[in-house]
Amino acid sequence: MPYTPDAELDLMFPPEQIPADVKAALPQDLHIRPLASSDYRRGHLSVLSVLTVVTDPGEAAWVAQFNAMRAAPRTYYSIVIVDHSDKIVAVGTVFVERKFLRGLGTVGHIEDIAVDKSQQGKKLGLRIIQALSGISENSGCYKTILNCSDSNIPFYQKCGFEKKENEMAKYA
Ligand code: ACO
């Protein structure tokens, strides 16, 4: 079964917002597109589980979260790469924060990047980051930032990012 065409899916945002050069750089049997409301069934959470422990909320709650994110316009951009069998093999999100500083500027926050173990090392992570950075820049963000472990610093450097300041966290 080939991957489902974008026009047949209920997408989080218009697919034209993913830069054409990033789409063109993928191998022919892979496709990059916005997250769809039916992607729970294509293994979205299973790919995220390479990043951290995932608690499955069930499809109805997953779809409710998708709808809540889409209801905030020009804010959440989740993307996926699907393979020839329509299974999700890579995921990522950029969240666009509105500010009072920087002339009412916006900042892109890259979150939750994951590539299925069987597909790592094939530049899919790079393509996800290029797509999200492009969306962030085309949204007018003056910078795009993310947090990562020390072991992922070389990957993000290869994607054009540089180390800046420190991350602080307080868990509830
Ligand atoms: N250390 C050194 N170099 C690396 C690493 C690493 N850990 N990972 C990738 N690279 C290099 C690659 O060798 C490649 O270099 P090249 O251009 O010289 O060949 C370049 O970075 C691009 O690598 P990709 O093939 O695009 O990497 P991949 O598709 O495997 O994706 C990722 C990288 C996302 C880290 C993936 O391995 C993964 O899903 N890991 C587990 C989950 C994870 O850690 N996610 C990131 C969390 S941080 C966040 O979400 C903001």
Side-chain angles (χ1 to χ4, degrees):
M1 181 183 62
Y3 61 78
T4 309
D6 289 356
E8 293 176 21
L9 293 166
D10 177 36
L11 300 172
M12 183 176 266
F13 62 91
E16 299 74 33
Q17 286 181 256
I18 297 178
D21 58 335
V22 179
K23 288 183 183 177
L26 276 180
Q28 284 217 321
D29 58 338
L30 298 176
H31 177 60
I32 189 166
R33 61 161 171 77
L35 186 70
S37 61
S38 49
D39 278 343
Y40 176 88
R41 296 179 192 189
R42 296 187 182 87
H44 178 249
L45 294 180
S46 146
V47 176
L48 275 175
S49 71
V50 307
L51 175 60
T52 187
V53 177
V54 173
T55 309
D56 186 346
E59 185 169 13
W62 186 99
V63 171
Q65 182 78 316
F66 174 94
N67 286 330
M69 290 167 85
R70 188 168 54 180
R74 297 181 300 283
T75 304
Y76 291 102
Y77 297 89
S78 290
I79 61 172
V80 298
I81 295 176
V82 288
D83 69 9
H84 59 280
S85 67
D86 219 17
K87 180 175 154 275
I88 295 173
V89 294
V91 303
T93 295
V94 65
F95 160 69
V96 175
E97 174 210 358
R98 289 169 177 272
K99 299 184 83 70
F100 285 104
L101 291 172
R102 298 266 175 174
L104 305 180
T106 51
V107 174
H109 298 260
I110 287 182
E111 294 281 343
D112 301 344
I113 305 303
V115 176
D116 188 80
K117 278 212 158 44
S118 68
Q119 297 276 355
Q120 287 179 9
K122 298 181 182 176
K123 302 264 191 278
L124 302 193
L126 173 69
R127 299 299 170 222
I128 290 275
I129 296 301
Q130 287 174 334
L132 296 175
S133 304
I135 291 168
S136 178
E137 286 160 22
N138 294 336
S139 299
C141 294
Y142 75 91
K143 68 176 177 182
T144 306
I145 56 177
L146 59 88
N147 293 324
C148 72
S149 62
D150 286 352
S151 63
N152 279 331
I153 289 176
F155 165 68
Y156 287 111
Q157 285 172 331
K158 291 241 159 106
C159 294
F161 286 68
E162 57 182 305
K163 191 167 173 347
K164 195 93 195 289
E165 298 167 347
N166 299 300
E167 174 192 347
M168 305 286 284
K170 184 170 185 288
Y171 288 85

mmCIF file of all heavy atoms in Angstrom, residues 66-113:
data_model
loop_
_atom_site.group_PDB
_atom_site.id
_atom_site.type_symbol
_atom_site.label_atom_id
_atom_site.label_comp_id
_atom_site.label_asym_id
_atom_site.label_seq_id
_atom_site.Cartn_x
_atom_site.Cartn_y
_atom_site.Cartn_z
ATOM 1 N N PHE A 66 -4.899 16.544 19.236
ATOM 2 C CA PHE A 66 -4.631 17.037 17.872
ATOM 3 C C PHE A 66 -5.544 18.238 17.579
ATOM 4 O O PHE A 66 -5.087 19.287 17.107
ATOM 5 C CB PHE A 66 -4.877 15.895 16.869
ATOM 6 C CG PHE A 66 -4.773 16.307 15.421
ATOM 7 C CD1 PHE A 66 -3.574 16.158 14.739
ATOM 8 C CD2 PHE A 66 -5.872 16.829 14.737
ATOM 9 C CE1 PHE A 66 -3.470 16.536 13.400
ATOM 10 C CE2 PHE A 66 -5.766 17.210 13.405
ATOM 11 C CZ PHE A 66 -4.573 17.061 12.737
ATOM 12 N N ASN A 67 -6.832 18.100 17.870
ATOM 13 C CA ASN A 67 -7.791 19.175 17.571
ATOM 14 C C ASN A 67 -7.517 20.418 18.418
ATOM 15 O O ASN A 67 -7.647 21.547 17.929
ATOM 16 C CB ASN A 67 -9.224 18.675 17.782
ATOM 17 C CG ASN A 67 -9.656 17.739 16.667
ATOM 18 O OD1 ASN A 67 -9.200 17.861 15.523
ATOM 19 N ND2 ASN A 67 -10.509 16.778 16.981
ATOM 20 N N ALA A 68 -7.127 20.221 19.682
ATOM 21 C CA ALA A 68 -6.822 21.365 20.553
ATOM 22 C C ALA A 68 -5.601 22.112 20.022
ATOM 23 O O ALA A 68 -5.563 23.358 20.027
ATOM 24 C CB ALA A 68 -6.573 20.881 21.978
ATOM 25 N N MET A 69 -4.602 21.383 19.541
ATOM 26 C CA MET A 69 -3.399 22.032 18.995
ATOM 27 C C MET A 69 -3.743 22.781 17.706
ATOM 28 O O MET A 69 -3.328 23.921 17.496
ATOM 29 C CB MET A 69 -2.307 20.992 18.749
ATOM 30 C CG MET A 69 -1.740 20.437 20.051
ATOM 31 S SD MET A 69 -0.736 18.962 19.817
ATOM 32 C CE MET A 69 0.841 19.676 19.440
ATOM 33 N N ARG A 70 -4.540 22.157 16.847
ATOM 34 C CA ARG A 70 -4.887 22.806 15.576
ATOM 35 C C ARG A 70 -5.773 24.033 15.794
ATOM 36 O O ARG A 70 -5.780 24.957 14.989
ATOM 37 C CB ARG A 70 -5.587 21.801 14.656
ATOM 38 C CG ARG A 70 -5.793 22.359 13.266
ATOM 39 C CD ARG A 70 -6.217 21.328 12.282
ATOM 40 N NE ARG A 70 -7.401 20.582 12.702
ATOM 41 C CZ ARG A 70 -7.949 19.622 11.977
ATOM 42 N NH1 ARG A 70 -7.411 19.276 10.823
ATOM 43 N NH2 ARG A 70 -9.013 18.988 12.406
ATOM 44 N N ALA A 71 -6.522 24.049 16.915
ATOM 45 C CA ALA A 71 -7.422 25.176 17.188
ATOM 46 C C ALA A 71 -6.643 26.454 17.544
ATOM 47 O O ALA A 71 -7.217 27.540 17.524
ATOM 48 C CB ALA A 71 -8.374 24.810 18.318
ATOM 49 N N ALA A 72 -5.361 26.326 17.892
ATOM 50 C CA ALA A 72 -4.519 27.505 18.144
ATOM 51 C C ALA A 72 -3.839 27.847 16.815
ATOM 52 O O ALA A 72 -2.868 27.191 16.441
ATOM 53 C CB ALA A 72 -3.487 27.192 19.216
ATOM 54 N N PRO A 73 -4.348 28.825 16.072
ATOM 55 C CA PRO A 73 -3.826 29.051 14.723
ATOM 56 C C PRO A 73 -2.378 29.527 14.702
ATOM 57 O O PRO A 73 -1.953 30.272 15.579
ATOM 58 C CB PRO A 73 -4.768 30.112 14.139
ATOM 59 C CG PRO A 73 -5.436 30.741 15.300
ATOM 60 C CD PRO A 73 -5.388 29.777 16.442
ATOM 61 N N ARG A 74 -1.623 29.074 13.711
ATOM 62 C CA ARG A 74 -0.227 29.473 13.470
ATOM 63 C C ARG A 74 0.655 29.274 14.714
ATOM 64 O O ARG A 74 1.519 30.073 14.998
ATOM 65 C CB ARG A 74 -0.154 30.925 12.990
ATOM 66 C CG ARG A 74 -0.868 31.143 11.654
ATOM 67 C CD ARG A 74 -0.778 32.572 11.157
ATOM 68 N NE ARG A 74 -1.369 33.532 12.076
ATOM 69 C CZ ARG A 74 -2.672 33.730 12.200
ATOM 70 N NH1 ARG A 74 -3.520 33.072 11.453
ATOM 71 N NH2 ARG A 74 -3.131 34.605 13.067
ATOM 72 N N THR A 75 0.388 28.213 15.464
ATOM 73 C CA THR A 75 1.145 27.983 16.703
ATOM 74 C C THR A 75 1.835 26.621 16.723
ATOM 75 O O THR A 75 3.023 26.543 17.031
ATOM 76 C CB THR A 75 0.203 28.113 17.924
ATOM 77 O OG1 THR A 75 -0.419 29.399 17.879
ATOM 78 C CG2 THR A 75 0.974 27.982 19.228
ATOM 79 N N TYR A 76 1.125 25.555 16.414
ATOM 80 C CA TYR A 76 1.702 24.202 16.457
ATOM 81 C C TYR A 76 1.885 23.658 15.047
ATOM 82 O O TYR A 76 0.938 23.633 14.261
ATOM 83 C CB TYR A 76 0.795 23.241 17.236
ATOM 84 C CG TYR A 76 0.750 23.529 18.708
ATOM 85 C CD1 TYR A 76 -0.333 24.194 19.266
ATOM 86 C CD2 TYR A 76 1.796 23.143 19.531
ATOM 87 C CE1 TYR A 76 -0.377 24.464 20.620
ATOM 88 C CE2 TYR A 76 1.767 23.414 20.891
ATOM 89 C CZ TYR A 76 0.673 24.068 21.424
ATOM 90 O OH TYR A 76 0.644 24.338 22.761
ATOM 91 N N TYR A 77 3.105 23.211 14.771
ATOM 92 C CA TYR A 77 3.410 22.587 13.479
ATOM 93 C C TYR A 77 4.080 21.245 13.760
ATOM 94 O O TYR A 77 5.285 21.189 14.026
ATOM 95 C CB TYR A 77 4.331 23.487 12.661
ATOM 96 C CG TYR A 77 3.727 24.832 12.307
ATOM 97 C CD1 TYR A 77 3.871 25.929 13.150
ATOM 98 C CD2 TYR A 77 2.991 24.990 11.132
ATOM 99 C CE1 TYR A 77 3.297 27.154 12.837
ATOM 100 C CE2 TYR A 77 2.418 26.209 10.803
ATOM 101 C CZ TYR A 77 2.577 27.291 11.662
ATOM 102 O OH TYR A 77 2.005 28.500 11.347
ATOM 103 N N SER A 78 3.281 20.175 13.740
ATOM 104 C CA SER A 78 3.848 18.825 13.897
ATOM 105 C C SER A 78 3.942 18.202 12.523
ATOM 106 O O SER A 78 2.997 18.285 11.727
ATOM 107 C CB SER A 78 2.944 17.956 14.776
ATOM 108 O OG SER A 78 2.988 18.410 16.104
ATOM 109 N N ILE A 79 5.086 17.565 12.254
ATOM 110 C CA ILE A 79 5.284 16.943 10.946
ATOM 111 C C ILE A 79 5.699 15.484 11.121
ATOM 112 O O ILE A 79 6.187 15.091 12.188
ATOM 113 C CB ILE A 79 6.330 17.698 10.085
ATOM 114 C CG1 ILE A 79 7.703 17.713 10.757
ATOM 115 C CG2 ILE A 79 5.861 19.111 9.790
ATOM 116 C CD1 ILE A 79 8.807 18.277 9.866
ATOM 117 N N VAL A 80 5.478 14.703 10.054
ATOM 118 C CA VAL A 80 5.880 13.288 10.065
ATOM 119 C C VAL A 80 6.516 12.943 8.724
ATOM 120 O O VAL A 80 6.259 13.602 7.709
ATOM 121 C CB VAL A 80 4.670 12.345 10.301
ATOM 122 C CG1 VAL A 80 4.022 12.595 11.657
ATOM 123 C CG2 VAL A 80 3.640 12.454 9.187
ATOM 124 N N ILE A 81 7.342 11.884 8.737
ATOM 125 C CA ILE A 81 7.781 11.239 7.491
ATOM 126 C C ILE A 81 7.160 9.846 7.496
ATOM 127 O O ILE A 81 7.259 9.130 8.508
ATOM 128 C CB ILE A 81 9.319 11.160 7.390
ATOM 129 C CG1 ILE A 81 9.919 12.573 7.313
ATOM 130 C CG2 ILE A 81 9.741 10.336 6.167
ATOM 131 C CD1 ILE A 81 11.444 12.613 7.317
ATOM 132 N N VAL A 82 6.467 9.503 6.395
ATOM 133 C CA VAL A 82 5.882 8.156 6.268
ATOM 134 C C VAL A 82 6.650 7.372 5.204
ATOM 135 O O VAL A 82 7.201 7.952 4.262
ATOM 136 C CB VAL A 82 4.373 8.202 5.890
ATOM 137 C CG1 VAL A 82 3.531 8.664 7.055
ATOM 138 C CG2 VAL A 82 4.123 9.058 4.669
ATOM 139 N N ASP A 83 6.656 6.026 5.364
ATOM 140 C CA ASP A 83 7.338 5.186 4.378
ATOM 141 C C ASP A 83 6.345 4.677 3.335
ATOM 142 O O ASP A 83 5.161 5.041 3.352
ATOM 143 C CB ASP A 83 8.109 4.050 5.072
ATOM 144 C CG ASP A 83 7.196 3.001 5.709
ATOM 145 O OD1 ASP A 83 5.969 3.048 5.486
ATOM 146 O OD2 ASP A 83 7.729 2.132 6.419
ATOM 147 N N HIS A 84 6.806 3.812 2.433
ATOM 148 C CA HIS A 84 5.980 3.322 1.327
ATOM 149 C C HIS A 84 4.762 2.544 1.808
ATOM 150 O O HIS A 84 3.785 2.422 1.077
ATOM 151 C CB HIS A 84 6.824 2.430 0.404
ATOM 152 C CG HIS A 84 7.407 1.261 1.129
ATOM 153 N ND1 HIS A 84 8.541 1.384 1.909
ATOM 154 C CD2 HIS A 84 6.986 -0.011 1.249
ATOM 155 C CE1 HIS A 84 8.796 0.205 2.469
ATOM 156 N NE2 HIS A 84 7.874 -0.648 2.073
ATOM 157 N N SER A 85 4.796 2.033 3.056
ATOM 158 C CA SER A 85 3.638 1.295 3.569
ATOM 159 C C SER A 85 2.746 2.187 4.436
ATOM 160 O O SER A 85 1.873 1.691 5.143
ATOM 161 C CB SER A 85 4.094 0.065 4.343
ATOM 162 O OG SER A 85 4.770 0.472 5.512
ATOM 163 N N ASP A 86 2.978 3.497 4.395
ATOM 164 C CA ASP A 86 2.178 4.496 5.118
ATOM 165 C C ASP A 86 2.420 4.475 6.628
ATOM 166 O O ASP A 86 1.607 4.972 7.398
ATOM 167 C CB ASP A 86 0.672 4.289 4.837
ATOM 168 C CG ASP A 86 -0.048 5.626 4.685
ATOM 169 O OD1 ASP A 86 0.619 6.652 4.481
ATOM 170 O OD2 ASP A 86 -1.293 5.637 4.772
ATOM 171 N N LYS A 87 3.534 3.888 7.034
ATOM 172 C CA LYS A 87 3.884 3.856 8.460
ATOM 173 C C LYS A 87 4.763 5.071 8.779
ATOM 174 O O LYS A 87 5.657 5.423 7.990
ATOM 175 C CB LYS A 87 4.648 2.555 8.729
ATOM 176 C CG LYS A 87 5.095 2.343 10.142
ATOM 177 C CD LYS A 87 5.716 0.947 10.262
ATOM 178 C CE LYS A 87 6.698 0.827 11.364
ATOM 179 N NZ LYS A 87 8.036 1.192 11.195
ATOM 180 N N ILE A 88 4.529 5.697 9.928
ATOM 181 C CA ILE A 88 5.345 6.854 10.322
ATOM 182 C C ILE A 88 6.724 6.385 10.771
ATOM 183 O O ILE A 88 6.843 5.451 11.574
ATOM 184 C CB ILE A 88 4.641 7.648 11.443
ATOM 185 C CG1 ILE A 88 3.336 8.247 10.910
ATOM 186 C CG2 ILE A 88 5.553 8.749 11.983
ATOM 187 C CD1 ILE A 88 2.476 8.911 11.961
ATOM 188 N N VAL A 89 7.775 7.042 10.230
ATOM 189 C CA VAL A 89 9.140 6.652 10.594
ATOM 190 C C VAL A 89 9.934 7.803 11.238
ATOM 191 O O VAL A 89 11.022 7.568 11.757
ATOM 192 C CB VAL A 89 9.924 6.074 9.386
ATOM 193 C CG1 VAL A 89 9.305 4.748 8.936
ATOM 194 C CG2 VAL A 89 9.985 7.057 8.227
ATOM 195 N N ALA A 90 9.391 9.034 11.185
ATOM 196 C CA ALA A 90 10.082 10.156 11.828
ATOM 197 C C ALA A 90 9.053 11.230 12.174
ATOM 198 O O ALA A 90 8.065 11.404 11.443
ATOM 199 C CB ALA A 90 11.160 10.728 10.907
ATOM 200 N N VAL A 91 9.294 11.930 13.287
ATOM 201 C CA VAL A 91 8.340 12.950 13.741
ATOM 202 C C VAL A 91 9.090 14.158 14.316
ATOM 203 O O VAL A 91 10.260 14.042 14.700
ATOM 204 C CB VAL A 91 7.397 12.398 14.844
ATOM 205 C CG1 VAL A 91 6.632 11.178 14.375
ATOM 206 C CG2 VAL A 91 8.141 12.097 16.130
ATOM 207 N N GLY A 92 8.391 15.289 14.406
ATOM 208 C CA GLY A 92 8.942 16.480 15.055
ATOM 209 C C GLY A 92 7.914 17.580 15.091
ATOM 210 O O GLY A 92 6.934 17.558 14.332
ATOM 211 N N THR A 93 8.128 18.552 15.964
ATOM 212 C CA THR A 93 7.181 19.673 16.129
ATOM 213 C C THR A 93 7.955 20.968 16.296
ATOM 214 O O THR A 93 9.027 20.981 16.914
ATOM 215 C CB THR A 93 6.304 19.439 17.390
ATOM 216 O OG1 THR A 93 5.478 18.289 17.192
ATOM 217 C CG2 THR A 93 5.404 20.639 17.692
ATOM 218 N N VAL A 94 7.421 22.063 15.731
ATOM 219 C CA VAL A 94 7.888 23.392 16.142
ATOM 220 C C VAL A 94 6.681 24.159 16.678
ATOM 221 O O VAL A 94 5.596 24.135 16.090
ATOM 222 C CB VAL A 94 8.637 24.156 15.011
ATOM 223 C CG1 VAL A 94 7.758 24.490 13.822
ATOM 224 C CG2 VAL A 94 9.285 25.423 15.571
ATOM 225 N N PHE A 95 6.884 24.778 17.842
ATOM 226 C CA PHE A 95 5.853 25.546 18.539
ATOM 227 C C PHE A 95 6.239 27.020 18.418
ATOM 228 O O PHE A 95 7.368 27.398 18.739
ATOM 229 C CB PHE A 95 5.823 25.086 20.008
ATOM 230 C CG PHE A 95 5.197 26.053 20.957
ATOM 231 C CD1 PHE A 95 3.836 26.304 20.915
ATOM 232 C CD2 PHE A 95 5.964 26.706 21.906
ATOM 233 C CE1 PHE A 95 3.253 27.194 21.811
ATOM 234 C CE2 PHE A 95 5.396 27.598 22.800
ATOM 235 C CZ PHE A 95 4.032 27.844 22.752
ATOM 236 N N VAL A 96 5.336 27.849 17.903
ATOM 237 C CA VAL A 96 5.647 29.268 17.670
ATOM 238 C C VAL A 96 5.113 30.115 18.827
ATOM 239 O O VAL A 96 3.901 30.200 19.048
ATOM 240 C CB VAL A 96 5.075 29.731 16.314
ATOM 241 C CG1 VAL A 96 5.278 31.228 16.122
ATOM 242 C CG2 VAL A 96 5.733 28.954 15.166
ATOM 243 N N GLU A 97 6.060 30.687 19.576
ATOM 244 C CA GLU A 97 5.734 31.490 20.762
ATOM 245 C C GLU A 97 5.656 32.975 20.389
ATOM 246 O O GLU A 97 6.579 33.509 19.772
ATOM 247 C CB GLU A 97 6.849 31.284 21.808
ATOM 248 C CG GLU A 97 6.744 32.157 23.027
ATOM 249 C CD GLU A 97 8.092 32.492 23.655
ATOM 250 O OE1 GLU A 97 9.126 32.014 23.158
ATOM 251 O OE2 GLU A 97 8.103 33.256 24.638
ATOM 252 N N ARG A 98 4.572 33.643 20.775
ATOM 253 C CA ARG A 98 4.449 35.091 20.553
ATOM 254 C C ARG A 98 5.040 35.830 21.753
ATOM 255 O O ARG A 98 4.801 35.430 22.891
ATOM 256 C CB ARG A 98 2.970 35.484 20.446
ATOM 257 C CG ARG A 98 2.312 35.025 19.185
ATOM 258 C CD ARG A 98 0.819 35.216 19.303
ATOM 259 N NE ARG A 98 0.164 34.853 18.074
ATOM 260 C CZ ARG A 98 -0.030 35.694 17.050
ATOM 261 N NH1 ARG A 98 0.359 36.949 17.130
ATOM 262 N NH2 ARG A 98 -0.635 35.270 15.959
ATOM 263 N N LYS A 99 5.777 36.938 21.488
ATOM 264 C CA LYS A 99 6.441 37.682 22.559
ATOM 265 C C LYS A 99 6.005 39.150 22.576
ATOM 266 O O LYS A 99 5.544 39.674 21.563
ATOM 267 C CB LYS A 99 7.968 37.635 22.349
ATOM 268 C CG LYS A 99 8.539 36.257 22.368
ATOM 269 C CD LYS A 99 10.041 36.278 22.260
ATOM 270 C CE LYS A 99 10.716 36.526 23.587
ATOM 271 N NZ LYS A 99 10.571 35.377 24.499
ATOM 272 N N PHE A 100 6.218 39.808 23.729
ATOM 273 C CA PHE A 100 6.070 41.259 23.784
ATOM 274 C C PHE A 100 7.394 41.922 23.399
ATOM 275 O O PHE A 100 7.427 43.065 22.970
ATOM 276 C CB PHE A 100 5.630 41.697 25.188
ATOM 277 C CG PHE A 100 4.179 41.390 25.457
ATOM 278 C CD1 PHE A 100 3.816 40.329 26.260
ATOM 279 C CD2 PHE A 100 3.170 42.151 24.873
ATOM 280 C CE1 PHE A 100 2.487 40.023 26.483
ATOM 281 C CE2 PHE A 100 1.832 41.863 25.092
ATOM 282 C CZ PHE A 100 1.486 40.788 25.898
ATOM 283 N N LEU A 101 8.500 41.184 23.591
ATOM 284 C CA LEU A 101 9.825 41.713 23.247
ATOM 285 C C LEU A 101 10.068 41.638 21.748
ATOM 286 O O LEU A 101 9.289 41.032 21.008
ATOM 287 C CB LEU A 101 10.891 40.900 23.976
ATOM 288 C CG LEU A 101 10.922 41.077 25.495
ATOM 289 C CD1 LEU A 101 11.878 40.079 26.117
ATOM 290 C CD2 LEU A 101 11.311 42.501 25.850
ATOM 291 N N ARG A 102 11.221 42.178 21.329
ATOM 292 C CA ARG A 102 11.652 42.063 19.925
ATOM 293 C C ARG A 102 10.570 42.544 18.961
ATOM 294 O O ARG A 102 10.277 41.882 17.960
ATOM 295 C CB ARG A 102 12.020 40.614 19.596
ATOM 296 C CG ARG A 102 13.169 40.085 20.404
ATOM 297 C CD ARG A 102 14.460 40.256 19.676
ATOM 298 N NE ARG A 102 15.574 39.857 20.511
ATOM 299 C CZ ARG A 102 16.819 39.798 20.072
ATOM 300 N NH1 ARG A 102 17.112 40.120 18.832
ATOM 301 N NH2 ARG A 102 17.779 39.453 20.876
ATOM 302 N N GLY A 103 9.960 43.702 19.286
ATOM 303 C CA GLY A 103 8.940 44.252 18.386
ATOM 304 C C GLY A 103 7.788 43.280 18.187
ATOM 305 O O GLY A 103 7.378 43.028 17.054
ATOM 306 N N LEU A 104 7.306 42.724 19.295
ATOM 307 C CA LEU A 104 6.228 41.720 19.250
ATOM 308 C C LEU A 104 6.658 40.536 18.372
ATOM 309 O O LEU A 104 5.897 40.056 17.521
ATOM 310 C CB LEU A 104 4.906 42.323 18.758
ATOM 311 C CG LEU A 104 4.399 43.556 19.533
ATOM 312 C CD1 LEU A 104 3.079 44.047 18.949
ATOM 313 C CD2 LEU A 104 4.222 43.244 21.024
ATOM 314 N N GLY A 105 7.876 40.097 18.615
ATOM 315 C CA GLY A 105 8.457 39.026 17.795
ATOM 316 C C GLY A 105 7.944 37.642 18.150
ATOM 317 O O GLY A 105 7.154 37.467 19.090
ATOM 318 N N THR A 106 8.388 36.659 17.380
ATOM 319 C CA THR A 106 8.033 35.264 17.645
ATOM 320 C C THR A 106 9.303 34.403 17.658
ATOM 321 O O THR A 106 10.285 34.711 16.969
ATOM 322 C CB THR A 106 7.062 34.701 16.583
ATOM 323 O OG1 THR A 106 7.595 34.953 15.290
ATOM 324 C CG2 THR A 106 5.684 35.316 16.679
ATOM 325 N N VAL A 107 9.237 33.319 18.448
ATOM 326 C CA VAL A 107 10.361 32.378 18.582
ATOM 327 C C VAL A 107 9.843 30.976 18.287
ATOM 328 O O VAL A 107 8.783 30.581 18.775
ATOM 329 C CB VAL A 107 10.938 32.420 20.024
ATOM 330 C CG1 VAL A 107 11.999 31.336 20.211
ATOM 331 C CG2 VAL A 107 11.523 33.785 20.324
ATOM 332 N N GLY A 108 10.595 30.216 17.514
ATOM 333 C CA GLY A 108 10.228 28.824 17.228
ATOM 334 C C GLY A 108 10.920 27.885 18.203
ATOM 335 O O GLY A 108 12.142 27.962 18.379
ATOM 336 N N HIS A 109 10.147 27.029 18.852
ATOM 337 C CA HIS A 109 10.697 26.032 19.781
ATOM 338 C C HIS A 109 10.551 24.651 19.162
ATOM 339 O O HIS A 109 9.427 24.164 18.988
ATOM 340 C CB HIS A 109 9.930 26.057 21.109
ATOM 341 C CG HIS A 109 10.027 27.364 21.835
ATOM 342 N ND1 HIS A 109 10.894 27.584 22.885
ATOM 343 C CD2 HIS A 109 9.370 28.529 21.651
ATOM 344 C CE1 HIS A 109 10.758 28.823 23.317
ATOM 345 N NE2 HIS A 109 9.833 29.429 22.590
ATOM 346 N N ILE A 110 11.664 24.031 18.836
ATOM 347 C CA ILE A 110 11.627 22.678 18.269
ATOM 348 C C ILE A 110 11.523 21.658 19.407
ATOM 349 O O ILE A 110 12.258 21.746 20.398
ATOM 350 C CB ILE A 110 12.861 22.430 17.378
ATOM 351 C CG1 ILE A 110 12.685 23.219 16.069
ATOM 352 C CG2 ILE A 110 13.078 20.940 17.109
ATOM 353 C CD1 ILE A 110 13.796 23.056 15.061
ATOM 354 N N GLU A 111 10.597 20.730 19.271
ATOM 355 C CA GLU A 111 10.293 19.753 20.328
ATOM 356 C C GLU A 111 10.095 18.356 19.740
ATOM 357 O O GLU A 111 9.613 18.222 18.618
ATOM 358 C CB GLU A 111 8.979 20.134 21.039
ATOM 359 C CG GLU A 111 9.023 21.433 21.842
ATOM 360 C CD GLU A 111 9.706 21.260 23.188
ATOM 361 O OE1 GLU A 111 9.857 20.111 23.643
ATOM 362 O OE2 GLU A 111 10.126 22.277 23.766
ATOM 363 N N ASP A 112 10.405 17.354 20.541
ATOM 364 C CA ASP A 112 9.980 15.973 20.293
ATOM 365 C C ASP A 112 10.354 15.450 18.902
ATOM 366 O O ASP A 112 9.502 15.070 18.098
ATOM 367 C CB ASP A 112 8.463 15.846 20.530
ATOM 368 C CG ASP A 112 8.094 16.235 21.950
ATOM 369 O OD1 ASP A 112 9.005 16.304 22.793
ATOM 370 O OD2 ASP A 112 6.916 16.493 22.210
ATOM 371 N N ILE A 113 11.664 15.417 18.683
ATOM 372 C CA ILE A 113 12.221 14.891 17.425
ATOM 373 C C ILE A 113 12.530 13.409 17.624
ATOM 374 O O ILE A 113 13.217 13.036 18.590
ATOM 375 C CB ILE A 113 13.544 15.636 17.077
ATOM 376 C CG1 ILE A 113 13.333 17.152 17.026
ATOM 377 C CG2 ILE A 113 14.150 15.102 15.783
ATOM 378 C CD1 ILE A 113 12.293 17.620 16.061
#
